[in-house]
Amino acid sequence: MSEPLSRGAERDLFRDTWVRYLGYANEVGEAFRSLVPAAVVWLSYGVSSSYVLADAIDKGKKARDGFPPLPLLD
């Protein structure tokens, strides 16, 4: 598992909680491909892709917020 958070550290929703396992949903879908309808497999890819997209957006916003605004040119 991940290391315990230090005091005052921000908890990352996409890394430090159960939400992280949604990124592996496609692996579960593939494992059961021969037992479930194809729609279930495609749904598992949708779940994991949504996780990846949401995590990327979250990390991008945090990176953007960490930089000072650019000066405006006249």
Side-chain angles (χ1 to χ4, degrees), residues 12-30:
D12 185 350
L13 173 69
F14 296 99
R15 187 183 65 202
D16 300 329
T17 66
W18 62 270
V19 175
R20 177 181 190 168
Y21 298 108
L22 293 177
Y24 298 102
N26 66 311
E27 300 296 333
V28 175
E30 285 294 337

Side-chain angles (χ1 to χ4, degrees), residues 40-52:
V40 173
V41 177
W42 285 104
L43 178 64
S44 72
Y45 273 94
V47 169
S48 65
S49 297
S50 297
Y51 166 84
V52 170

